[in-house]
Amino acid sequence: MGRHETGDEVEPNGPGGRESPGYSGAEHAAPEQDAAAGTTIAGVLRSPRFWLAPLLLVVVIMSFMAALYMGAVADPQRNLHDFPIALVNEDRGGDVDNPDGGTTKQNFGDQVAAGVISTAAESGIAVEKVDRTTALNRLNSGKAYGVVVIGPNFTNRAVSLGRAAVLEAKPDPMAIDVFINRGSGTFASAVTTTFADQMSEQVNAQVGERLVDTVRQSLVKADVPFSGAAQLALSNPVDVRIVEPTPLPDGSGNGLSAFYFTLLLILAGFTGAMMVSVVVDGILGQTPIEYGPFYQLRQRLAISRWGTLATKWTIMVLVAVIQSALFIAVCTAVGTSLPNAFALWLFSVLVITAVGVSASSMMAVFGNPGLILNLVFFVILGLPSSGGTVPLEASPRLFAWIAAVEPMHLVYLGTRAILYFDADLDAGLGRSIIQCAIGLLVGVLLGLGGTKLYDRKGWHRFPGGMTLSPRLRRLVGGDGPASITTPSPAHVAAVSGSGSPRPPGTSGPPAASETPDVTQAPEDPGRMS
């Protein structure tokens, strides 16, 4: 911020060519500066190279996001594929009455199961026959979204229902139970409920038609009238019931708390890495520190790319430990159900660390494009492929392929297992831990290898440390100079470790653009310039 001078000043064009007191040059300087600024702005706006790049970047990224997000939820019923439902048929069969008065050994449960499996496959639902223990284990680990149970007396109850219509007695009800678990996801439970409604229509039509025909023939032979009430009862003989054997506790958000907690963890690692990067680069003098009109650039400290990244990693680990504890505290305060709080804290520390380290490495290796890559990888691709709102089996197959490598889906599986499935490793937690550890290792190797390579090549983080090629410089910054300032000779020597006072790749006498940076203050590394 400039200092205003006081006192009389001299007017250069006073009367008689003499300088007059009371003249201030600012009276003419401001209009001239405004005119110059206006000319500059108009000039850059007339250049497509100035505005075309940010315009294309924004519209392409946002259009890509719209295509992914809306494509994932546009038509879940049409996109159903391999939607897992287990079927348990415990029907022991029975002797079914024939119109001629005899009986035949039959199993209505097998017939119903075969019809359900074939019809469901046409709509993208994969119904698999298993035993009761296997089915319930799958339901309670999120591997099956529903379980259809046909009881042991299904055929005998059908026979009793037919005989009751003939004898005008009260029939025993036929029932098929459909178990759901809202911990697998609210939308997944809704799809299973819709499937149960469709199955009810199919089974009643299949079993009811057969019962009506059998009873009608028996009554005609016995010369007994077939009442309308009896026909109505026999045409809908099966009661398909929705059962939730392990309902979620209060504070589970009807199965959405796992998704929102997953989103918190990913954002804490992704946006946390960006905020840490901005603050650390400002403190190290790599980028300016701005608060409103306040602008300062600290002395650029002599630190390598690897040293800078290691500093950011250390801070992100501290952020992960503290922020995970705060997330648990906030969830407890607002009434979120946390049956395994300590396990959730440990898992959260791993996730935030892995995402934060990987995001920091991306920015360290790729620079500004690393921000876009992080946004696309962790958020744009992550949300529609997470499976937290719409299951992957109800989205286009593309999202299942993305989810195989996307961290958000893996983190969701682990969070869901901790919150709803008693931290069962087989419910997705074990897979999530392993792949988060692999992601952390990949992030470490990327950052370590990339920054070490840059340091060894002498591509340091100061103006002139590495000059863009002419073509790339014209693309991103026009035809101006590659840099307008250079670091002090001591800074170059300290970073490169060679004692050379010049940036790498330079020779001959210093050019005008290689004068020491005015922001340098070697005597006090922490002083603001």
Side-chain angles (χ1 to χ4, degrees), residues 298-300 517-529:
R298 297 177 69 99
Q299 176 190 349
R300 188 178 291 109
D517 190 344
V518 296
T519 63
Q520 303 300 320
E523 68 278 2
D524 184 4
R527 181 177 65 84
M528 291 287 188
S529 58

Side-chain angles (χ1 to χ4, degrees), residues 130-326:
V130 294
D131 60 86
R132 177 182 285 264
T133 301
T134 301
L136 294 180
N137 285 339
R138 291 183 182 180
L139 182 68
N140 293 327
S141 61
K143 295 180 180 179
Y145 294 130
V147 173
V148 178
V149 178
I150 301 175
N153 296 317
F154 188 77
T155 300
N156 290 331
R157 289 186 177 181
V159 173
S160 299
L161 186 61
R163 292 173 179 173
V166 174
L167 300 175
E168 299 183 356
K170 183 178 180 180
D172 293 328
M174 299 174 65
I176 295 178
D177 292 329
V178 178
F179 295 164
I180 63 172
N181 189 333
R182 298 187 191 278
S184 298
T186 302
F187 194 90
S189 298
V191 172
T192 305
T193 302
T194 301
F195 162 76
D197 294 337
Q198 297 171 346
M199 184 181 67
S200 177
E201 297 179 6
Q202 173 194 343
V203 171
N204 276 296
Q206 178 182 355
V207 178
E209 181 180 358
R210 180 163 185 175
L211 283 178
V212 169
D213 289 343
T214 301
V215 172
R216 178 182 286 114
Q217 294 179 35
S218 299
L219 291 178
V220 168
K221 185 177 180 180
D223 196 20
V224 176
F226 196 3
S227 66
Q231 293 184 53
L232 181 61
L234 290 177
S235 63
N236 290 279
V238 182
D239 180 22
V240 178
R241 303 175 299 192
I242 303 296
V243 181
E244 191 171 5
T246 54
L248 294 177
D250 294 337
S252 298
N254 201 24
L256 286 175
S257 60
F259 169 71
Y260 283 105
F261 197 88
T262 297
L263 190 59
L264 286 175
L265 297 181
I266 296 296
L267 290 179
F270 162 59
T271 59
M274 290 195 301
M275 289 186 282
V276 167
S277 181
V278 169
V279 174
V280 170
D281 285 345
I283 294 175
L284 296 179
Q286 302 293 344
T287 57
I289 299 174
E290 294 187 80
Y291 298 98
F294 179 80
Y295 177 98
Q296 286 188 327
L297 182 62
R298 297 177 69 99
Q299 176 190 349
R300 188 178 291 109
L301 299 183
I303 185 171
S304 64
R305 289 179 181 269
W306 159 240
T308 303
L309 180 59
T311 301
K312 296 174 181 178
W313 283 354
T314 303
I315 296 174
M316 278 308 305
V317 172
L318 296 176
V319 167
V321 173
I322 298 173
Q323 189 60 68
S324 298
L326 291 176

Side-chain angles (χ1 to χ4, degrees), residues 337-349:
S337 174
L338 300 175
N340 299 283
F342 182 69
L344 185 61
W345 175 77
L346 290 176
F347 180 70
S348 301
V349 171

